[in-house]
Amino acid sequence: MNLRTTPTVAETGRDLLRLRAELPGRVALVPTMGALHEGHRTLVRAARQQCDSVVVSVFVNPTQFGPGEDFDRYPRTWDADLAALAEEGADVVFRPGVQDVYGSCALGVTVDPGPLGSVLEGAVRPGHFAGVLTVVAKLFGLVRPDEAFFGEKDYQQLVLIRAMSRELALRVGVNGVPTVREDDGMALSSRNRYLDPEQRRTAATLYRALQAGVDAGPQGADAVLAAAHEVLATAPELVLDYLELTDADLGPAPVAGSVRLLVAVRAGSTRLLDNTRVRLGETR
Ligand code: PAF
């Protein structure tokens, strides 16, 4: 275990600006909503490798939760989060309150994610990506990082944040970090703790469906979708929201080459997402 000194915690934008001014070299930002797991730790390690200073934000952002979603019960595990960030060598942890992030938003200016914000996750969770992009833009503005790090597990979020940084000329490098998985392939997620043991066991079907899709890649798009659907059908208790093939930027999938296979299901009241790269029409 890598025991390092506890990071400095900033609880207000003002504290953060003061600490940010003292950080040496290239600065990385890892935005999180806390409830940290090995996937987040991997983001911090990637940030450490690429930059001289690492800021991690811990903020459960209310504007990306819809009515009736899990904002109130979203896991808040501050002591464990801080201990994990000390082990990973984060320099500063920004843990603002809602008022500190949104108190100055009297005119309600937000970031519009454009058409990609209303497909896939956006179709199921209207307004979700406007909430995500708005808070990430604020974090970019406060931290002024050179690089920011996000998990590939939330692939649509990664694509949209990358597009925001590029199209709004925010000058932040947006880095995607591969999904961290359990032994049975299940993608790590803070929401996995909502699953009961039976749901958790069944949830690994998602990964098996993606792998079946990868294996069918040489036979083309229809075969990929059919193979993944066939595996998902073995777990009828998982309610399918979508299973789609896209190109790497979430546009229409080409006939051959590298594409993305994205899936979302509901296990009881818990939504589970996963995705993988697939090579279409080629042997791997
Ligand atoms: O992926 C998350 O944890 C959140 O969507 C993010 C990027 C921290 C914004 O609140």
Side-chain angles (χ1 to χ4, degrees), residues 31-33 59 61 64 132 135-136 150 154 157 161:
T32 81
M33 297 205 299
F59 177 62
N61 172 36
Q64 69 188 75
V132 170
V135 82
V136 171
F150 299 88
D154 294 307
Q157 166 174 286
I161 292 171

Side-chain angles (χ1 to χ4, degrees), residues 100-198:
D100 204 59
V101 174
Y102 288 109
S104 61
C105 298
L107 299 184
V109 175
T110 59
V111 179
D112 182 344
L116 273 191
S118 50
V119 298
L120 300 166
E121 280 305 287
V124 182
R125 307 182 68 188
H128 170 66
F129 287 115
V132 170
L133 294 191
T134 301
V135 82
V136 171
K138 278 171 179 270
L139 292 169
F140 282 7
L142 284 162
V143 178
R144 303 265 169 208
D146 298 290
E147 303 288 333
F149 293 80
F150 299 88
E152 282 184 354
K153 183 185 155 280
D154 294 307
Y155 191 76
Q156 188 175 7
Q157 166 174 286
L158 172 64
V159 169
L160 281 166
I161 292 171
R162 192 172 272 146
M164 173 178 77
S165 188
R166 187 179 60 238
E167 296 189 8
L168 302 185
L170 301 183
R171 300 163 63 100
V172 177
V174 175
N175 300 269
V177 177
T179 302
V180 179
R181 299 180 179 281
E182 306 264 16
D183 289 347
D184 64 359
M186 174 83 174
L188 294 192
S189 162
S190 304
R191 289 188 168 100
N192 289 355
R193 65 188 77 193
Y194 298 156
L195 300 171
D196 67 30
E198 181 55 25

